[in-house]
Amino acid sequence: IDASGAIVSATSMGGTGDDYGNEVDARAGRVAIAVNATSGISVPPLGALPHSGGDEGYVVVLDDRLRPLSSHQVGGAGAASVRAVAIGEGMVAFAGECVGDLQMLGASLRCDDATDGYVAGLAMASGEAWVRFADGTGLQSVRGVGIDGSGNVTALGRFDAAARVDAAVHLTSFGSKDLMVWRLDSRGRTLGALPVGSAGNDEGGELVVFPNGVFSIAGHFRGAPVLKRLDSPPHHQGGADEVVLSFSGRGDLIGISRGGGAGDEIHYAMAESTRGNVTVGTYYGDTRFGSCASNGEGFYVSFRKFVPMIAPRAAGGGPVPTAASPAPPVTTGATPRATRSDAARTARRDPTR
């Protein structure tokens, strides 16, 4: 659809079972979509895509007229899904969860019997690829992924109790279910990982990554979010509160914004604007966004400015914890794009604007 709202092109793909389009990303004349299917799908003119049995995921890359260029299966004897996809300069990244044996990017892989999360990267020109896993004692999943101007990949996931990221970085939750932020370079080497959560049951909704490496995450927390770099976390007002956290490219917390109220705010999605983030979701009971009668619900759209971090630790933050990770034989050839000036970034985060 163009800027006037006119339909420029359209396409469809599917099979005999239930098919779900999970996410889409577009950049530099390329479109990448994440699809899950129960019985395989057909993509004209590529034809029927491989299907190994159960629930499987697919990543389909198209040109700006929605003509398919390539497809990639994530599936096998076990179960797998693709929850998120991002396209950058010369590469595509995607993420999701899996159980058991599967085929992905030409390799035979094994996920634990419990659900594991994964992040994968593919160089579109050379076809070289990498896959990294997050496993642990409970359910691990990755629901958001983005690529910055240098080709670094940021992923947003969720984990139970304890998680092991890329077999090297160990995370421990603050409560029953927490979020995890996972950073990798363009070759799939882990740059760091960070748990974000509260004493309650927390859900991650969306991840936005800017070309200069700044990224924002949004979710709803059933307690005050806990972070190593935050002496005074946002006050929890009851129920589930929507919270937006912004980080620098090094992983330092630089901004906080939240909803609040005795009721629940259930975050669903977020998009970036020039001066902040726009979030959407539903609310129940009395919240900052509105009030509902018993058993009712409302829908909210909220603009969140970049608000500087409150009460930073005197010692500063520093980068997220790092751990060595073997480099796969991959070169993406990612080309950094122009980034906003320091003055523009400062103005964008100025809460007085």
Side-chain angles (χ1 to χ4, degrees):
I1 302 175
D2 66 17
S4 69
I7 296 177
V8 176
S9 57
T11 188
S12 65
M13 57 193 71
T16 58
D18 294 331
D19 313 311
Y20 307 92
N22 272 345
E23 194 169 40
V24 61
D25 192 27
R27 185 179 299 174
R30 295 290 184 266
V31 179
I33 61 172
V35 180
N36 291 327
T38 59
S39 61
I41 61 173
S42 179
V43 181
L46 300 179
L49 302 185
H51 184 256
S52 303
D55 294 346
E56 297 188 354
Y58 300 90
V59 175
V60 182
V61 180
L62 310 98
D63 66 14
D64 58 358
R65 303 294 296 185
L66 300 186
R67 293 171 294 201
L69 301 175
S70 63
S71 64
H72 310 280
Q73 177 196 19
V74 180
S81 63
V82 182
R83 299 291 186 181
V85 66
I87 195 162
E89 295 289 346
M91 71 175 296
V92 60
F94 55 95
E97 62 257 5
C98 57
V99 178
D101 298 321
L102 75 155
Q103 297 288 322
M104 187 190 313
L105 299 176
S108 297
L109 304 171
R110 170 71 183 175
C111 297
D112 289 341
D113 292 332
T115 302
D116 289 348
Y118 71 85
V119 179
L122 172 68
M124 290 185 286
S126 66
E128 295 176 302
W130 50 264
V131 182
R132 296 289 179 265
F133 291 96
D135 58 11
T137 55
L139 183 149
Q140 332 294 325
S141 64
V142 182
R143 300 297 181 93
V145 68
I147 305 173
D148 67 19
S150 298
N152 296 321
V153 176
T154 302
L156 174 65
R158 188 174 184 229
F159 72 102
D160 294 346
R164 185 179 61 170
V165 174
D166 197 12
V169 182
H170 295 263
L171 305 178
T172 301
S173 69
F174 301 104
S176 57
K177 292 179 173 63
D178 282 350
L179 310 185
M180 63 177 174
V181 178
W182 186 1
R183 298 269 290 164
L184 308 97
D185 68 12
S186 61
R187 297 173 61 86
R189 294 175 293 199
T190 293
L191 301 174
L194 177 71
V196 181
S198 71
N201 189 350
D202 309 315
E203 294 270 4
E206 193 70 40
L207 165 75
V208 168
V209 179
F210 293 88
N212 60 8
V214 169
F215 61 95
S216 297
I217 65 173
H220 45 271
F221 295 79
R222 296 187 180 276
V226 179
L227 286 166
K228 291 180 179 179
R229 301 167 185 80
L230 195 61
D231 287 328
S232 301
H235 177 63
H236 181 244
Q237 299 185 5
D241 290 351
E242 184 194 64
V243 179
V244 178
L245 303 170
S246 297
F247 297 83
S248 71
R250 297 195 318 150
D252 295 320
L253 184 66
I254 59 174
I256 299 171
S257 181
R258 64 167 178 80
D264 289 343
E265 301 158 359
I266 308 301
H267 170 87
Y268 283 129
M270 176 172 62
E272 69 270 28
S273 76
T274 56
R275 289 187 296 160
N277 296 307
V278 178
T279 64
V280 297
T282 58
Y283 62 88
Y284 308 82
D286 295 325
T287 74
R288 183 177 179 182
F289 300 122
S291 180
C292 295
S294 177
N295 297 322
E297 64 180 77
F299 173 81
Y300 68 83
V301 179
S302 174
F303 174 72
R304 301 302 188 80
K305 292 181 180 180
F306 286 103
V307 180
M309 174 179 142
I310 57 174
R313 289 188 181 277
V320 295
T322 59
S325 176
V330 138
T331 301
T332 64
T335 302
R337 297 188 304 279
T339 60
R340 297 178 179 88
S341 67
D342 290 339
R345 288 197 296 271
T346 302
R348 193 176 69 243
R349 294 198 298 266
D350 183 0
T352 65
R353 289 174 62 92

